[in-house]
Amino acid sequence: MTDTILSSATREVAIGFGRPFVMIGERINPTGRSILAEEMRAGDFSRVQADALAQVEAGAQVLDINAGIPLADEPALLAQAIELVQQLTDVPLSIDSSVVEALEAGIAVYQGKPLINSVTGEDEVLERVLPLVARHGAAVVAISNDETGISEDPDVRFAIAEKIVNRAQDHGIPRSDVVVDPLVMPIGAMGTAGQQVFRLVRRLRGELQVNTTCGASNVSFGLPNRHVVTGTFLAMAMANGLTSAIMNPLHPEVRTAVAAADVLTGQDGNCAAWIRANRAPSEPGSERVGRRGGTRRIRAAG
Amino acid sequence: MTDTILSSATREVAIGFGRPFVMIGERINPTGRSILAEEMRAGDFSRVQADALAQVEAGAQVLDINAGIPLADEPALLAQAIELVQQLTDVPLSIDSSVVEALEAGIAVYQGKPLINSVTGEDEVLERVLPLVARHGAAVVAISNDETGISEDPDVRFAIAEKIVNRAQDHGIPRSDVVVDPLVMPIGAMGTAGQQVFRLVRRLRGELQVNTTCGASNVSFGLPNRHVVTGTFLAMAMANGLTSAIMNPLHPEVRTAVAAADVLTGQDGNCAAWIRANRAPSEPGSERVGRRGGTRRIRAAG
């Protein structure tokens, strides 16, 4: 079994085979959210705060934090957002940037063992990010593309994932600390996108013995009723071994599909979380179709 | 590729790998439906008629017909129901009984190539049902249990399925006309029930090259919000190769999960059926979250 352990100052979360699926909340990301971008640039983090609490309340066990705003001081903003969110909740964080200086600034203020999001198969990126991951004993998301772009051939993507895992080992990072993202393309643009991911996830688990994650929302880009497509995709990928996803737990269709899939993979013991979350309306707390109660320990603001 | 072709007098349906999933409507079955049982016993088939039309409208490509009512003349009732439903709609039928005389009576009036539901791995059942299937050139559902009952060991269930496929070949029935039911247990009673089916479906498809079906509703027996569990289960089983199910298409959660899974396996070309079924509310027909329009050709009553 491969367990990827992440932690905050006071709490551990394990991503692993034979464990409940780990939802990594994707909302704290100004990409495509112009209001959030403007607020963060102006030093207003109230929406970051609200998004953090809402996602943990909806069942996110890890939160992704991204501060990629054009012409802003990304390292400073990312560090500020991380400090703030760590005061607000005890879930471990995923530090998300394509700028190495921003990753460094985020790691510098982080308390615990974070997930670094991400490294690709590009040699230059590998040699800048992996030493950072190794030095801080972090875990890392490995995206299966390289200098040549994103291949439509799943075997090429598998080979890139293998290259990253091997290179990580050269840097002293165990395969259990590499979480591979097989890359999810929009199904509306590429009809094979789902089958590619299902096959890749099976091989990544069976042959490379690594945990997996993905940016799930991308699969339903451009489609109507898209949250049902995203939730169904996650359940199907889980049936092939996907162990985590960077996703939006605020959409009930998505988090409920994940909760049902945990029941069906046998990871929700005695269906206890499902039964608790789906109680009849006359019982207290039943209006919330959520996730494991144990993931909802939100600390008061420091 | 293995195609199981079923037909009515005027229409063919293919169950197969690399094809859209086939929903077999389960509703025309008096088991556990005491009002329907009483009506059918009294010769009132109005509910059978309504259930047939509603299921085809909801996207069922095949209808299962069962007339198993205690102390009633099952062969006569089954034949009557089949004749009536064949006048009403042109979808192929699944003739469902554990009584061989009822299967014979149903086949005698059926126009086309039916699905016979079912044969088990019990020698006595095999030797009574398979000659009937062979004589009429029908297809058959093969349930993976035998004299010893239902094994909790998926390898035993696989071996029984293999035995039925081999025995069918001895009777001149090709493997393409044997649709194996791996047997779905309630997940609330057996936490491994989902993983067992996913693994069995993969082996049945990869090693035995047979199509598969299952009684899907059973998986969610006793759970709250059960239709979401059933729909999620079907999507997960489809991600492992399940090609049809005996199910209730009238539950929107179930048929929508199947439609989304068809999108994600790449079987809904250009997502056309999904987009048509999920149009914005201002467009006509959008209130129906249904299935492929092509499956809805309901003929007027003869």
Side-chain angles (χ1 to χ4, degrees):
Chain A
M1 294 320 232
T2 301
D3 275 351
T4 304
I5 308 292
L6 306 176
S7 66
S8 65
T10 56
R11 182 148 162 223
E12 276 190 3
V13 167
I15 300 173
F17 312 156
R19 289 184 175 277
F21 191 74
V22 171
M23 297 199 289
I24 303 171
E26 72 178 9
R27 287 296 287 161
I28 301 177
N29 188 333
T31 313
R33 297 183 72 191
S34 54
I35 295 172
L36 177 65
E38 281 318 306
E39 287 174 353
M40 287 176 77
R41 189 203 303 273
D44 173 6
F45 283 75
S46 55
R47 198 176 301 265
V48 169
Q49 233 164 318
D51 284 344
L53 292 175
Q55 290 182 100
V56 173
E57 172 69 17
Q61 297 104 312
V62 176
L63 295 180
D64 187 78
I65 314 285
N66 181 301
I69 301 165
L71 305 178
D73 183 354
E74 185 177 341
L77 286 178
L78 187 58
Q80 202 179 340
I82 286 167
E83 285 196 294
L84 187 80
V85 173
Q86 283 218 298
Q87 283 165 9
L88 208 61
T89 164
D90 64 352
V91 301
L93 303 184
S94 160
I95 302 177
D96 181 3
S97 179
S98 53
V99 176
V100 175
E101 293 71 24
L103 295 177
E104 279 171 346
I107 294 172
V109 300
Y110 188 77
Q111 298 179 52
K113 178 182 173 184
L115 183 62
I116 303 300
N117 185 7
S118 56
V119 69
T120 67
E122 297 161 277
D123 285 312
E124 195 195 320
V125 177
L126 284 167
E127 294 312 320
R128 294 197 70 193
V129 174
L130 292 180
L132 192 64
V133 173
R135 193 159 61 241
H136 292 276
V140 66
V141 174
I143 301 189
S144 49
N145 71 316
D146 64 9
E147 292 83 354
T148 63
I150 299 173
S151 174
E152 290 191 23
D153 180 346
D155 293 337
V156 171
R157 284 196 244 159
F158 181 83
I160 295 171
E162 195 165 29
K163 169 188 169 180
I164 302 175
V165 168
N166 289 336
R167 194 71 67 87
Q169 287 187 314
D170 293 343
H171 284 271
I173 303 163
R175 70 179 60 233
S176 58
D177 278 337
V178 181
V179 181
V180 176
D181 181 343
L183 280 166
V184 176
M185 311 299 288
I187 191 80
M190 191 191 291
T192 56
Q195 294 285 21
Q196 282 183 8
V197 171
F198 305 150
R199 173 149 179 268
L200 259 168
V201 165
R202 289 193 77 79
R203 290 193 67 196
L204 290 166
R205 179 169 178 154
E207 297 173 39
L208 271 193
Q209 286 111 45
V210 289
N211 281 308
T212 44
T213 196
C214 67
S217 320
N218 207 30
V219 78
S220 60
F221 180 78
L223 290 180
N225 203 7
R226 65 177 292 188
H227 306 315
V228 170
V229 176
T230 302
T232 305
F233 165 75
L234 281 169
M236 295 171 84
M238 288 167 70
N240 282 283
L242 187 74
T243 49
S244 71
I246 302 168
M247 55 182 281
N248 188 345
L250 301 179
H251 295 305
E253 304 92 331
V254 178
R255 68 167 181 267
T256 305
V258 168
D262 264 348
V263 167
L264 291 157
T265 56
Q267 295 308 324
D268 177 3
N270 297 318
C271 312
W274 181 263
I275 291 168
R276 190 167 57 240
N278 292 280
R279 281 183 290 225
S282 60
E283 294 176 58
S286 62
E287 68 286 349
R288 195 170 58 203
V289 179
R291 290 265 292 171
R292 291 173 280 288
T295 65
R296 293 208 193 86
R297 280 176 284 145
I298 298 169
R299 298 189 316 195
Chain B
M1 295 320 234
T2 302
D3 274 351
T4 305
I5 308 292
L6 307 175
S7 66
S8 65
T10 57
R11 186 151 158 219
E12 276 190 1
V13 167
I15 300 172
F17 311 157
R19 290 183 176 277
F21 192 75
V22 171
M23 298 200 288
I24 303 171
E26 72 178 10
R27 287 296 287 160
I28 302 177
N29 188 335
T31 313
R33 297 183 71 190
S34 55
I35 295 173
L36 177 65
E38 281 318 305
E39 287 175 355
M40 286 176 78
R41 189 203 302 275
D44 172 5
F45 284 74
S46 56
R47 199 176 299 265
V48 170
Q49 229 164 324
D51 283 344
L53 292 175
Q55 289 183 102
V56 173
E57 172 68 16
Q61 297 103 312
V62 176
L63 295 179
D64 187 79
I65 314 285
N66 180 302
I69 301 164
L71 306 179
D73 182 356
E74 185 177 342
L77 285 179
L78 187 58
Q80 202 178 340
I82 285 167
E83 285 195 295
L84 186 79
V85 173
Q86 282 217 300
Q87 282 165 10
L88 209 59
T89 164
D90 63 353
V91 302
L93 303 184
S94 160
I95 303 177
D96 181 3
S97 178
S98 53
V99 176
V100 176
E101 292 71 23
L103 294 178
E104 278 171 345
I107 293 172
V109 299
Y110 188 77
Q111 298 179 52
K113 177 182 173 184
L115 183 62
I116 303 301
N117 185 7
S118 58
V119 70
T120 67
E122 298 162 276
D123 285 313
E124 195 194 320
V125 177
L126 284 166
E127 293 312 318
R128 293 197 70 194
V129 174
L130 291 181
L132 191 64
V133 173
R135 192 159 61 243
H136 293 275
V140 67
V141 174
I143 300 190
S144 49
N145 70 317
D146 64 9
E147 291 84 354
T148 63
I150 299 174
S151 173
E152 290 191 21
D153 181 346
D155 293 337
V156 171
R157 284 198 244 159
F158 181 85
I160 295 171
E162 196 166 28
K163 169 186 170 181
I164 302 176
V165 168
N166 289 336
R167 195 70 68 88
Q169 288 187 313
D170 294 343
H171 284 270
I173 302 163
R175 71 178 59 232
S176 59
D177 278 337
V178 181
V179 181
V180 175
D181 181 343
L183 280 166
V184 176
M185 312 298 288
I187 191 81
M190 191 190 292
T192 57
Q195 294 285 22
Q196 282 183 10
V197 171
F198 305 149
R199 173 147 180 269
L200 258 167
V201 165
R202 288 193 78 80
R203 290 193 66 195
L204 290 166
R205 180 169 176 154
E207 298 174 40
L208 271 194
Q209 287 110 44
V210 289
N211 281 308
T212 45
T213 197
C214 67
S217 319
N218 206 32
V219 78
S220 60
F221 179 79
L223 290 180
N225 203 6
R226 65 177 292 190
H227 306 314
V228 170
V229 176
T230 302
T232 305
F233 165 75
L234 280 169
M236 294 171 85
M238 288 167 70
N240 281 283
L242 187 74
T243 48
S244 71
I246 301 168
M247 55 182 281
N248 187 343
L250 301 180
H251 296 304
E253 304 92 331
V254 177
R255 69 168 180 267
T256 304
V258 168
D262 264 347
V263 167
L264 291 158
T265 56
Q267 295 307 324
D268 177 3
N270 297 317
C271 312
W274 181 263
I275 291 168
R276 191 167 55 240
N278 291 280
R279 279 183 290 223
S282 61
E283 294 177 58
S286 61
E287 67 286 351
R288 196 171 59 203
V289 179
R291 290 265 293 173
R292 290 173 282 285
T295 65
R296 294 208 192 87
R297 280 177 283 143
I298 299 168
R299 296 192 317 195

